[in-house]
Amino acid sequence: MTDTDLPQAAAEAPARGAYDPRLARRARGLMAELNAAGVLDAADVLVAERVAALGGETDERVRLAVALAVRAVRSGSVGVDLRAGEGGDLAVGLGLPDGAALPEPAAWTAAIAASPLTAAGVLHHDLGLVSLDRYHRMERQIADDLAGRIAAAAPAVDEDVLARTLTRVAGEHFSDEQAAAVDHAVRHRTTVLTGGPGTGKTTTVARIVVALADQFHAAGGDQHFSVALAAPTGKAATRLQEAVGEEIEALGLDPAGLGRPEARTLHRLLGWRPDNTTRFRHDRGNRLQHDLIVVDEASMVDLTLMARLLEAVRPETRLVLVGDPGQLTSVGAGAVLSDLVAGFADHPDSPVVALRQNHRSTEDIKELAQALRDGAADAVLEVLRRGSAEVEYVETDQPAEVLRGICVAAARRVHDRATGAGAPEERAAAALAALEEFRLLCAHREGPFGVRHWNRQVEQWLAEDLGQPLGLPWYPGRPLLVTSNDYTLDVYNGETGVVVAADDGRPRAWIAGVGAPRAFAPGRLDALDTMHAMTIHKSQGSQAREITVLLPDADSRLLTRELFYTAVTRAKSRVRVVGTEAAVRAAVATTAQRATGLAERLSGAGR
């Protein structure tokens, strides 16, 4: 396990003082050393001590294993990989303080195996991972549910109807591999559709919807063919609904009045419960009633959410998971999409269908993305330094000199449209359109390369450019980012917005979701950030015409190949990278590793 994928709050944490609340006062021995050094948080230690006390465990080595397992989940892993301890990699990855040493691996493993916590099923040591029961069970459940879906009898297929559908949906850019993906989705209950940007994933999804609707009605289905489109964030769900609907309409492929299938967040699809953050209204006892469920941006789906989805899907429902395994993994524990790809690599009936042919005209961005996927730092730098209308590289460690003009021009476009002529809804639509033209993406939230700093900096520059203070926090043209779901208001994490004054002069936050933008009084929305800059993590599921990527220092623990790739692939037509050569090379060389066992379970090695 490495620290390259730590949540930002942990990765950016300063050194701990004597009164730091992250210090566990009653910690003793090695756990106290690791807590003081910032390896373990107080919560890691307190959970371990409480679990050990309840289970009658007195061995300090086992308590340490529990604390590290808790920390692993906080870091995005499913458990802590003790196999890394044999060569000292675990100690290096943890960043142990001088003089501290982990227990000897063989004795440590034996102590865990003999622990009453293991006997009680609270702790598991399986596939080299020490994990808490909840995460161990979810991995096994996902593997079992997918194995059951794959082993089930294949659905009946009307071959004549399928042949006619494939002919009917064949457009100018419909490739053989896309046709093969549609064919697979018709013949199987589960499809994992992967591909990078521009490979036509959404185009293929639209045709899968049409093909399955045709099969449904050919089989005598006299009811409405029920389709659910979903994504982890509201912004991604909006993009999916718009893209699939537009594709169906553009090709004149609306089968039996299907119309534009509705998209929603995964939490909304499963039935969010305000009294429970990990359980939903739909489960094994109350399954989703859709004939087809499509989940886009599956790389963002964590272990818990994937487990809840699979248990809520009826065995006969077609399930299509769509995503790019090269992107950042989920914020929560697990790396489910990449584990599915790896775990089914040699499976005789793999549900994974990969799209590789890129249909976009942005050749230089495609080449840059491919070099990043390949992990070729020299090739990445060659594309960056070549320069073109699509790719620009500003090699500097003084980004303010470069970013001022770029960011002010983008902010001014939004401001001018928000304050221009027309009714409030017209100004809001124009400002939101301008907002989609440009994104400044940062790896960090805090510090000199973080979004907080750059949001403040751009606001200061904008005020200077306008020749007047921006005034109140809700100034016209302020770009907004929704940071959590509000099911009461139907506003979702990842959606964007802008402040526009109403006719009476009062500010209103216009949020762009599914359908027309909607106006809210600022006091009704409490989970909003300014969005002159945004983190690369938050940018997943969205795109903009032009992207500027600000790379942090080369020693940043957040700087990974997946992070860089995700940022670059948010660009529709132009990407600008700002940073040093050392930062570029560090990003390409560092992969975001997570300790999981799902791939081994899916491959049969861990079953």
Side-chain angles (χ1 to χ4, degrees):
M1 182 178 67
T2 71
D3 280 332
T4 57
D5 209 28
L6 280 171
Q8 292 198 14
E12 300 174 9
R16 298 180 179 181
Y19 299 100
D20 196 307
R22 292 168 296 175
L23 287 176
R25 303 297 174 188
R26 298 181 180 179
R28 298 292 182 269
L30 183 55
M31 276 208 293
E33 292 183 56
L34 297 185
N35 177 225
V39 176
L40 295 174
D41 262 8
D44 304 330
V45 176
L46 293 173
V47 170
E49 294 288 4
R50 182 60 176 164
V51 168
L54 291 172
E57 178 57 74
T58 59
D59 193 316
E60 182 183 343
R61 295 169 297 180
V62 178
R63 293 182 176 218
L64 175 61
V66 175
L68 290 174
V70 175
R71 174 194 184 275
V73 172
R74 184 166 54 81
S75 304
S77 292
V78 174
V80 58
D81 188 351
L82 295 186
R83 291 171 297 188
E86 297 174 2
D89 293 339
L90 178 58
V92 173
L94 291 173
L96 294 187
D98 292 341
L102 295 175
E104 191 277 324
W108 198 5
T109 300
I112 293 168
S115 172
L117 298 179
T118 302
V122 175
L123 195 65
H124 295 267
H125 186 205
D126 185 21
L127 302 178
L129 293 181
V130 174
S131 56
L132 303 176
D133 180 60
R134 174 187 172 191
Y135 298 95
H136 182 266
R137 281 188 291 107
M138 285 193 294
E139 273 203 342
R140 291 184 64 90
Q141 179 217 310
I142 291 173
D144 290 344
D145 284 346
L146 287 172
R149 291 184 61 85
I150 292 170
V157 177
D158 188 317
E159 299 292 348
D160 291 337
V161 171
L162 176 57
R164 288 196 297 271
T165 301
L166 288 173
T167 299
R168 191 159 60 94
V169 302
E172 181 181 354
H173 301 295
F174 191 53
S175 65
D176 290 342
E177 63 182 13
Q178 289 175 308
V182 174
D183 184 86
H184 183 280
V186 170
R187 299 182 187 280
H188 298 80
R189 304 287 183 193
T190 306
T191 300
V192 181
L193 183 65
T194 67
T199 54
K201 296 189 295 294
T202 306
T203 297
T204 305
V205 166
R207 286 158 170 82
I208 288 173
V209 171
V210 173
L212 289 175
D214 285 351
Q215 291 289 316
F216 177 83
H217 294 296
D222 55 359
Q223 299 177 349
H224 179 70
F225 179 66
S226 178
V227 179
L229 305 179
T233 68
K235 188 68 172 180
T238 299
R239 282 187 57 229
L240 178 63
Q241 175 170 325
E242 292 174 348
V244 170
E246 289 170 2
E247 188 72 24
I248 290 174
E249 289 181 2
L251 295 174
L253 299 176
D254 184 6
L258 181 64
R260 287 195 171 206
E262 179 186 355
R264 66 201 87 174
T265 64
L266 265 175
H267 286 78
R268 187 81 169 187
L269 173 69
L270 292 172
W272 172 78
R273 289 169 49 181
D275 62 328
N276 196 316
T277 58
T278 62
R279 287 288 179 180
F280 299 89
R281 288 191 297 105
H282 292 288
D283 53 22
R284 293 196 197 279
N286 180 28
R287 306 261 193 174
L288 293 162
Q289 295 302 303
H290 304 287
D291 301 297
L292 167 64
I293 297 174
V294 178
V295 179
D296 197 15
E297 298 291 348
S299 64
M300 300 168 65
V301 180
D302 65 17
L303 192 75
T304 300
L305 200 53
M306 184 61 72
R308 300 298 175 248
L309 172 67
L310 289 173
E311 68 184 14
V313 176
R314 295 182 301 161
E316 62 270 26
T317 294
R318 297 306 216 292
L319 176 64
V320 180
L321 304 175
V322 186
D324 183 350
Q327 287 188 24
L328 284 165
T329 49
S330 57
V331 174
V336 178
L337 181 63
S338 57
D339 280 348
L340 295 186
V341 174
F344 285 120
D346 299 319
H347 197 284
D349 195 18
S350 173
V352 179
V353 181
L355 301 179
R356 296 182 175 86
Q357 182 179 347
N358 198 308
H359 302 278
R360 289 185 183 170
S361 59
T362 50
E363 294 297 329
D364 294 324
I365 294 177
K366 289 192 296 187
E367 188 177 352
L368 177 59
Q370 184 60 53
L372 281 167
R373 281 195 296 268
D374 293 341
D378 288 342
V380 169
L381 285 163
E382 193 279 326
V383 176
L384 289 174
R385 286 172 171 159
R386 182 195 308 157
S388 71
E390 298 173 19
V391 176
E392 178 186 356
Y393 179 38
V394 182
E395 190 170 351
T396 181
D397 59 358
Q398 300 295 325
E401 300 174 4
V402 178
L403 295 180
R404 176 165 186 155
I406 297 167
C407 292
V408 168
R412 186 65 188 258
R413 283 195 298 271
V414 177
H415 176 273
D416 289 350
R417 294 188 188 184
T419 58
E425 58 270 22
E426 295 172 338
R427 287 182 275 123
L432 287 167
L435 193 60
E436 296 304 307
E437 291 292 300
F438 175 81
R439 290 280 191 279
L440 171 61
L441 301 183
C442 305
H444 293 257
R445 280 196 297 263
E446 307 293 345
F449 295 96
V451 294
R452 290 188 189 277
H453 168 77
W454 288 102
N455 275 323
R456 290 192 300 266
Q457 183 65 77
V458 174
E459 286 182 330
Q460 178 182 329
W461 287 337
L462 178 61
E464 293 172 359
D465 186 72
L466 293 170
Q468 60 186 23
L470 294 177
L472 298 174
W474 295 94
Y475 58 86
R478 177 189 171 193
L480 304 172
L481 176 67
V482 179
T483 57
S484 68
N485 298 327
D486 188 325
Y487 297 96
T488 303
L489 298 179
D490 205 27
V491 171
Y492 301 104
N493 178 32
E495 292 181 337
T496 55
V498 66
V499 176
V500 173
D503 288 333
D504 60 5
R506 290 184 297 178
R508 289 291 181 265
W510 287 79
I511 305 299
V514 176
R518 293 176 299 142
F520 298 91
R524 300 183 67 193
L525 301 169
D526 60 359
L528 292 175
D529 280 346
T530 301
M531 203 190 71
H532 290 297
M534 69 188 304
T535 64
I536 297 170
H537 279 83
K538 283 289 186 181
S539 75
Q540 283 186 277
S542 67
Q543 289 184 313
R545 184 186 63 81
E546 178 182 323
I547 293 292
T548 293
V549 185
L550 176 59
L551 295 179
D553 286 334
D555 59 359
S556 166
R557 287 191 288 175
L558 294 179
L559 190 57
T560 66
R561 187 186 308 167
E562 291 82 0
L563 189 87
F564 196 3
Y565 173 84
T566 299
V568 164
T569 55
R570 300 309 89 205
K572 291 182 179 180
S573 58
R574 179 175 174 78
V575 63
R576 178 186 297 105
V577 176
V578 179
T580 64
E581 177 181 337
V584 171
R585 290 190 177 278
V588 177
T590 308
T591 57
Q593 300 176 18
R594 291 190 169 186
T596 72
L598 182 58
E600 289 181 82
R601 298 186 197 285
L602 293 171
S603 69
R607 299 184 66 80

